[in-house]
C-alpha cells in the first residue's frame, strides 16, 4: 500500500521500555516498519546496516512468520550473542515448533508482551544468559541442555494504565517528512479481552476472558492528538466494540473531538457480536452526529450445524435479520462476515445462507476457514476429518476438505469466494444487487457465479489478468488485492464489465426494466473511487479538485441520470416500492482524493469512504452540527496558513501541551505486515538515546 500501516504492537513495547527509569537511559530502541511485500533482503539491509542491534524483537503473525525466521538467521550471523525474541498470537504456546524451525530464535513470549518484554530487557541488561531466563514469567526458552523451558504463566494485565500510550509519549512517529499523518488509519484500543470462545479464533490470546478497559481520559487525549493531525478514520482494535457501556462514552468523546477540530470523521471497528442496548444507543448517536461507520454483522455462518462446531450456537448474534432490516431502513452502511468451509457447513447450506444474508446486506466479507494456533479447530482436526495444507507465503493452514466438504466442492467454492470478495465485499458494485433481485429475480450468488463463468470463457484480453488472479488466489497470495486494484484502476476493466453486463446479465432482465437497471449499473461505475497515481494523465478525464471542510475531493460535474437512481435504490433498501417513472436528474459527484492506499489493498472498510457522493452527503457525514461546523472551520482557518508543516508542528508540540499518559495497550492483531523492533544496549555514560 502507498501508506504505511501503524505498528501499534511495536509502539506499545517501545513506550513500555522508555517509561522505565531503570531501562530508558540504557537502551536505544528503534521500530522498523516495513510494508507488506517487502523482501527479506531489503529488510535485512535496513535492519543491520551499521552496528547490528543487541536485541531483535518481532511481533509475529502467520503472514510474517517465515520472513522473520529468515531475518533471525541473518541477525545471528552478524551478532551471534544477540537476543532474538518472538511474540504474538501465532507463536504463543508454540515454542517447540518455533525453536525446531528457527533455532536462531532465543525466546518466545506467551501472551501479552509488554511487561514480559520489559523484564526480558531488564534481565539482558543485568547480564542474564539467554539459556537462564527462568525468573521471567510468561516465556519459553531453551535451557542449557537444549530442551524447551516454559516459565509460569503471566497473569493478564488488569490495570491497562500500566502500559504507556505510544502516541502521547512519542514512541510512535505519527507524521511523515511533510508533516502529514503517515498511516492509512489511526489504530486504537479502548479495551482488551473477549468473553467468547469461537472455535476458529484466538483473539490476542484473550478469548474467554474478562474485558478490561482503558481510561477515558487517555483515550480522549489520544483522539485529540489524531484530530490535530487531521486523521480521517479511527479504527478501534477491540474484539466487541459496543459491548461495554464505556464504548458509548468513547463515541461521545470521538464526536466531541470531531466537533471541536473537524476530525476524525469515521470510526471502524469489530462490532459486538451480540447487539445490546449500548450498541443501539451508539448507532443512533453516530447517525444523529453524522459520524460514519460500517456496522458489522459478524455472523460467520447461518448453518445450525456449523454454528455448533464453532461454539456459537447459543449466541444472540444469530438473531440478525431484524437488526439488518433496522440498519437498512435507517440508511446506515452495513456489512457482514461469513466463513466458508467450517466443519458442519455444506455448499448448499452456505449458498442458501449467503443469499439470505444478501437480501439485507450486499457487502459480505467471505473468508476461507484457516486453522490458527491455539484454536479449537486446530486441536480437533481429526474429530472433524480436516485435511489442510500450509500456505506457500505464510504459516496458516488452509482447509482443503473435511467430513461435510469434499475437496472438489472446496475448489468450486474457492472460485465463488474470489468473485464474492473482489466484486461484492470490496464494493466494485453496490447498487445492482438489490435491483437485480427485485426486478429480475437474480440472487447475488447467481450474479457472481455468472460473472465468474463469463470471465473464464471471455475472448477478451482484459479478462486474462483476472483469470490469472483467480487461479492463484486460494494460496494466500496478493491476488485479491491485485484484482480489486485492476477493477478500480484500469479503463479496460470497466469496458470488460460493460461487455459482461450487456451480454450476460441484461438478457436475463425483463425488457421493461432494462433501461432502469442499465442506469443503476452505470451509476455503480460512476461512484467508484477516483484513482490517480503519480501520473495525472492516467485519469480518463480531467477532474477538478475542490476542498470541503479541510479535505480535498475530485469533482465530476453535471452527471445526467435518466432516473433518480439514489431515490430508487434507497426505496428498495427500505422495502418500499419505488417510483419508476423516468425522472431525469443532474448532480455533481465528489470523491475523496488519496484513494490509492484503499484501492490497492483489500480493506473494504476503508475503500467505502472514497466512493462518489453528493456534497450534501459529505456535509452530513462530516458533521451534523452547525455549531461544530463553525468550530471546525475556525480551527482549520487558524492552521491553514501554516502550510504542510502545520501538522508536524502540532504533533511536536503535543508533548508540551498534553501531560504524558501512563497507560495503553497493544493491538491483539498487529496490523503491519513487518514491524521488527531493535534494541542497542548503551554504555552507562551514553545517556538516553532518542
Amino acid at each position: 500500500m502507498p501508506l504505511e500501516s501503524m505498528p501499534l504492537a511495536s509502539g506499545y513495547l517501545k513506550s513500555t521500555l522508555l517509561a522505565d527509569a531503570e531501562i530508558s537511559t540504557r537502551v536505544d530502541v528503534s521500530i522498523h516498519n516495513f510494508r507488506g511485500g517487502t523482501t527479506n533482503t531489503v529488510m535485512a539491509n535496513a535492519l543491520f546496516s551499521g552496528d547490528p542491534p543487541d536485541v531483535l524483537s518481532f511481533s509475529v503473525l502467520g503472514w510474517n512468520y517465515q520472513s522473520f525466521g529468515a531475518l533471525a538467521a541473518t541477525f545471528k550471523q552478524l551478532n551471534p550473542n544477540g537476543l532474538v525474541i518472538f511474540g504474538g498470537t501465532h507463536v504463543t504456546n508454540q515454542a517447540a515448533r518455533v525453536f525446531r524451525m528457527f533455532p536462531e530464535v532465543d525466546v518466545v513470549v506467551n501472551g501479552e508482551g509488554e511487561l514480559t518484554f520489559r523484564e526480558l530487557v531488564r534481565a539482558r541488561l543485568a547480564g542474564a544468559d539467554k539459556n537462564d531466563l527462568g525468573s521471567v514469567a510468561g516465556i519459553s526458552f531453551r535451557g542449557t541442555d537444549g530442551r524447551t523451558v516454559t516459565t509460569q504463566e503471566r497473569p493478564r494485565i488488569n490495570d491497562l494504565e500500566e502500559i504507556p500510550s505510544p502516541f502521547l509519549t512519542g514512541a510512535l512517529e505519527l507524521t511523515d517528512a511533510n508533516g502529514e499523518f503517515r498511516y492509512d488509519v489511526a489504530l486504537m484500543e479502548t479495551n482488551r479481552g473477549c468473553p467468547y470462545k469461537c472455535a476458529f479464533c484466538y483473539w490476542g490470546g484473550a478469548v474467554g476472558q474478562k474485558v478490561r478497559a482503558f481510561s477515558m481520559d487517555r483515550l480522549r487525549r489520544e483522539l485529540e492528538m489524531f484530530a490535530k493531525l487531521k486523521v480521517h478514520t479511527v479504527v478501534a482494535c477491540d474484539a466487541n466494540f459496543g459491548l461495554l457501556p464505556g464504548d458509548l462514552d468513547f463515541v461521545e468523546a470521538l464526536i466531541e473531538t470531531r466537533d471541536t477540530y473537524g476530525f476524525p470523521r469515521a470510526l471502524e471497528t469489530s462490532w459486538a457480536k451480540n447487539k445490546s442496548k449500548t450498541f443501539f444507543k451508539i448507532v443512533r448517536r453516530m447517525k444523529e452526529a453524522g459520524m460514519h461507520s460500517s456496522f458489522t454483522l459478524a455472523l460467520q455462518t447461518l448453518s445450525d450445524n456449523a454454528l455448533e462446531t464453532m461454539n456459537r450456537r447459543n449466541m444472540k448474534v444469530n438473531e440478525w435479520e431484524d437488526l439488518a432490516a433496522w440498519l437498512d431502513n435507517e440508511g446506515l452502511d452495513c456489512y457482514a462476515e461469513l466463513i466458508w468451509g467450517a466443519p458442519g457447513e455444506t455448499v448448499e447450506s452456505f449458498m442458501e445462507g449467503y443469499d439470505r444474508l444478501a437480501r439485507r446486506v450486499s457487502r459480505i466479507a467471505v473468508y476461507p476457514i484457516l486453522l490458527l494456533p491455539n484454536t479449537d479447530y486446530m486441536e480437533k482436526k481429526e474429530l472433524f476429518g480436516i485435511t489442510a495444507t500450509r500456505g506457500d507465503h505464510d504459516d496458516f493452514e488452509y482447509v482443503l476438505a473435511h467430513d461435510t466438504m469434499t475437496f472438489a466442492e472446496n475448489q468450486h467454492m474457492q472460485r465463488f469466494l474470489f468473485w464474492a470478495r473482489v466484486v461484492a465485499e470490496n464494493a466494485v458494485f453496490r447498487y445492482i444487487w438489490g435491483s437485480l433481485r427485485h426486478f429480475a429475480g437474480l440472487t447475488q450468488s447467481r450474479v457472481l457465479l455468472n460473472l465468474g463463468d463469463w470471465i473464464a470463457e471471455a475472448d477478451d484480453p482484459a479478462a486474462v489478468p483476472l483469470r490469472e488472479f483467480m487461479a492463484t488466489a486460494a494460496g494466500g497470495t496478493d491476488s485479491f488485492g491485485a484484482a480489486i486494484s485492476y477493477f478500480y484502476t484500469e479503463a479496460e476493466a470497466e469496458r470488460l464489465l460493460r461487455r459482461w453486463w450487456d451480454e450476460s446479465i441484461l438478457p436475463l432482465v425483463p425488457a421493461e426494466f432494462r433501461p432502469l437497471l442499465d442506469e443503476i449499473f452505470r451509476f455503480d461505475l460512476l461512484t467508484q473511487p477516483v484513482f490517480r497515481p503519480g501520473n495525472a494523465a492516467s485519469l480518463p478525464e480531467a477532474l477538478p479538485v475542490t476542498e470541503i471542510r479541510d479535505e480535498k475531493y475530485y469533482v465530476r460535474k453535471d452527471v445526467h441520470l435518466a432516473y433518480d437512481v439514489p431515490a430508487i435504490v434507497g426505496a428498495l433498501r427500505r422495502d418500499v416500492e419505488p417510483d419508476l417513472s423516468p425522472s431525469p436528474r443532474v448532480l455533481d459527484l465528489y470523491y475523496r482524493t488519496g484513494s490509492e492506499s484503499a484501492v490497492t489493498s483489500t480493506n473494504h472498510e476503508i475503500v467505502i469512504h472514497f466512493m462518489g457522493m453528493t456534497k450534501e452527503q459529505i456535509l452530513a457525514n462530516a458533521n451534523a452540527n452547525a455549531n461544530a461546523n463553525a468550530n471546525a472551520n475556525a480551527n482549520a482557518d487558524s492552521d491553514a496558513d501554516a502550510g504542510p508543516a502545520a501538522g508536524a508542528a502540532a504533533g511536536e508540540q503535543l508533548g508540551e501541551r498534553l501531560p504524558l499518559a501512563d497507560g495503553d495497550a497493544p493491538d491483539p492483531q498487529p496490523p503491519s505486515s513487518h514491524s521488527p523492533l531493535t534494541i542497542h544496549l548503551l554504555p552507562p555514560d551514553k545517556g538516553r538515546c532518542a
Side-chain angles (χ1 to χ4, degrees):
M1 301 192 303
L3 294 177
E4 300 170 78
S5 290
M6 180 183 282
L8 184 58
S10 298
Y12 289 129
L13 296 175
K14 180 176 178 178
S15 63
T16 302
L17 292 185
L18 297 185
D20 188 285
E22 181 183 338
I23 296 174
S24 62
T25 59
R26 301 183 62 191
V27 295
D28 175 17
V29 187
S30 299
I31 296 173
H32 301 262
N33 191 29
F34 300 103
R35 297 168 185 173
T38 306
T39 65
N40 293 349
T41 302
V42 170
M43 287 190 284
N45 282 320
L47 285 168
F48 308 133
S49 59
D51 293 332
D54 299 288
V55 179
L56 181 61
S57 305
F58 299 95
S59 186
V60 184
L61 278 177
W63 61 70
N64 55 35
Y65 179 75
Q66 294 179 16
S67 288
F68 286 171
L71 289 172
T74 302
F75 171 66
K76 279 303 181 84
Q77 295 173 56
L78 297 169
N79 184 2
N81 296 319
L83 187 72
V84 175
I85 303 173
F86 268 25
T89 59
H90 198 78
V91 296
T92 287
N93 305 324
Q94 306 297 314
R97 178 173 182 261
V98 173
F99 294 153
R100 183 175 67 253
M101 293 182 67
F102 306 124
E104 296 81 9
V105 176
D106 299 304
V107 179
V108 170
V109 174
N110 302 313
E112 284 175 303
E114 295 84 0
L115 303 187
T116 304
F117 186 61
R118 184 177 64 188
E119 286 192 29
L120 281 169
V121 174
R122 222 179 249 162
R124 189 66 169 174
L125 287 167
D129 186 82
K130 65 182 180 181
N131 303 117
D132 186 19
L133 296 169
S135 62
V136 180
I139 66 170
S140 296
F141 63 97
R142 276 186 296 266
T144 54
D145 59 359
R147 296 183 180 182
T148 298
V149 177
T150 297
T151 63
Q152 67 182 42
E153 183 178 353
R154 181 180 295 275
R156 301 199 71 83
I157 303 170
N158 283 322
D159 182 7
L160 297 178
E161 301 304 306
E162 289 186 63
I163 308 167
S165 166
F167 316 122
L168 302 177
T169 60
L172 269 182
E173 293 184 12
L174 296 180
T175 56
D176 60 20
N178 296 319
E180 302 290 337
F181 185 67
R182 68 186 308 146
Y183 305 110
D184 54 348
V185 296
L187 300 176
M188 300 178 67
E189 280 184 311
T190 74
N191 62 62
R192 286 187 183 181
C194 178
Y196 309 116
K197 286 189 173 182
C198 300
F200 51 83
C201 182
Y202 187 64
W203 184 282
V207 292
Q209 295 280 338
K210 179 182 178 181
V211 179
R212 296 145 294 142
F214 295 97
S215 74
M216 189 54 56
D217 174 67
R218 194 200 66 200
L219 294 174
R220 284 180 179 274
R221 287 185 286 147
E222 291 180 337
L223 286 172
E224 181 181 10
M225 173 173 276
F226 293 140
K228 291 178 179 179
L229 294 174
K230 298 183 179 180
V231 172
H232 180 277
T233 303
V234 167
V235 176
C237 301
D238 305 336
N240 291 278
F241 189 84
L243 180 69
L244 303 178
D247 295 339
L248 178 58
D249 296 333
F250 177 80
V251 169
E252 290 289 359
L254 179 65
I255 293 169
E256 290 171 12
T257 304
R258 191 276 318 269
D259 288 352
T260 301
Y261 298 99
F263 292 90
R265 295 178 180 175
L267 170 68
E268 299 295 346
T269 187
S270 295
W271 290 92
K273 314 301 180 281
N274 293 340
K275 303 303 189 284
S276 62
K277 291 181 180 179
T278 299
F279 170 81
F280 285 99
K281 288 179 181 178
I282 288 173
V283 172
R284 290 191 181 98
R285 181 69 183 101
M286 291 182 68
K287 181 185 178 183
E288 171 189 298
M291 179 63 70
H292 189 78
S293 182
S294 299
F295 296 99
T296 319
L297 298 175
L299 302 177
Q300 314 312 347
T301 183
L302 274 68
S303 161
D304 287 341
N305 290 335
L307 286 169
E308 195 77 46
T309 71
M310 284 184 179
N311 303 329
R312 292 166 70 93
R313 186 68 180 84
N314 298 317
M315 291 173 64
K316 294 180 182 178
V317 66
N318 305 303
E319 302 169 5
W320 62 271
E321 288 184 281
D322 289 342
L323 172 61
W326 180 77
L327 290 169
D328 227 6
N329 291 333
E330 292 289 315
L332 297 170
D333 193 30
C334 177
Y335 77 93
E337 293 177 348
L338 292 177
I339 293 175
W340 157 249
E345 189 82 79
T346 66
V347 172
E348 293 74 22
S349 68
F350 183 85
M351 296 302 274
E352 178 186 352
Y354 182 91
D355 282 325
R356 179 182 165 197
L357 179 57
R359 292 186 64 84
R360 281 296 175 194
V361 186
S362 65
R363 193 153 60 94
I364 303 173
V366 184
Y367 305 115
I369 185 74
L370 299 178
L371 298 185
L372 306 180
N374 306 304
T375 62
D376 208 33
Y377 279 153
M378 179 68 88
E379 295 171 2
K380 296 179 179 178
K381 289 174 65 174
E382 292 186 9
L383 176 65
F384 297 121
I386 294 175
T387 301
T389 186
R390 291 275 176 186
D392 293 321
H393 306 282
D394 55 45
D395 195 54
F396 299 119
E397 286 199 40
Y398 291 77
V399 175
L400 301 179
H402 51 61
D403 289 344
T404 61
M405 177 186 73
T406 68
F407 184 82
E409 288 172 337
N410 187 40
Q411 282 190 309
H412 170 75
M413 286 299 294
Q414 291 297 333
R415 290 191 288 272
F416 171 76
L417 260 63
F418 178 82
W419 297 111
R421 290 186 63 185
V422 171
V423 178
E425 173 192 337
N426 282 277
V428 173
F429 293 121
R430 293 182 294 160
Y431 302 124
I432 63 170
W433 310 113
S435 306
L436 285 171
R437 184 173 54 247
H438 185 82
F439 296 112
L442 298 176
T443 63
Q444 187 160 316
S445 68
R446 183 180 173 187
V447 176
L448 289 166
L449 289 169
N450 180 294
L451 174 62
D453 291 343
W454 185 86
I455 287 180
E457 301 295 333
D459 58 341
D460 193 309
V464 174
L466 291 167
R467 288 198 286 264
E468 294 173 352
F469 296 147
M470 184 178 67
T472 59
T477 68
D478 61 354
S479 295
F480 289 103
I484 295 161
S485 178
Y486 186 78
F487 275 124
Y488 276 141
T489 63
E490 296 294 334
E492 283 295 287
E494 182 173 327
R495 180 191 58 75
L496 186 73
L497 289 173
R498 178 83 251 183
R499 184 182 164 193
W500 160 72
W501 177 262
D502 291 340
E503 293 180 7
S504 197
I505 294 297
L506 276 186
L508 303 177
V509 176
E512 66 268 29
F513 297 128
R514 288 177 190 171
L516 169 63
L517 268 294
D518 205 42
E519 197 72 341
I520 293 174
F521 173 81
R522 187 171 74 93
F523 190 69
D524 246 332
L525 295 180
L526 279 170
T527 53
Q528 288 182 356
V530 170
F531 176 81
R532 174 175 281 174
N535 179 11
S538 63
L539 272 178
E541 54 187 310
L543 297 180
V545 176
T546 189
E547 189 167 309
I548 302 176
R549 292 186 37 72
D550 279 347
E551 287 194 296
K552 292 181 179 179
Y553 293 84
Y554 298 114
V555 186
R556 180 174 279 122
K557 290 186 173 295
D558 298 330
V559 175
H560 289 259
L561 299 174
Y563 296 83
D564 191 344
V565 173
I568 292 171
V569 171
L572 292 176
R573 286 187 66 179
R574 298 190 304 274
D575 293 324
V576 175
E577 196 64 36
D579 179 4
L580 302 184
S581 57
S583 50
R585 185 179 180 192
V586 180
L587 49 79
D588 297 339
L589 291 175
Y590 293 78
Y591 310 78
R592 272 183 66 202
T593 62
S595 69
E596 291 75 17
S597 181
V599 304
T600 54
S601 68
T602 55
N603 195 334
H604 64 97
E605 297 162 308
I606 303 303
V607 77
I608 205 74
H609 297 305
F610 294 90
M611 296 293 178
M613 63 183 75
T614 65
K615 188 173 183 178
E616 291 74 20
Q617 289 173 313
I618 294 172
L619 294 175
N621 287 341
N623 199 336
N625 185 302
N627 291 330
N629 270 332
N631 288 339
N633 287 334
N635 280 284
D637 290 342
S638 66
D639 290 336
D641 296 333
E652 290 164 2
Q653 294 168 8
L654 283 174
E656 301 171 8
R657 288 181 284 175
L658 298 175
L660 296 181
D662 293 324
D664 205 350
D667 180 12
Q669 291 188 333
S672 180
S673 293
H674 307 295
S675 298
L677 186 145
T678 61
I679 299 177
H680 287 79
L681 307 184
L682 303 178
D685 60 345
K686 282 290 185 72
R688 176 171 178 174
C689 261

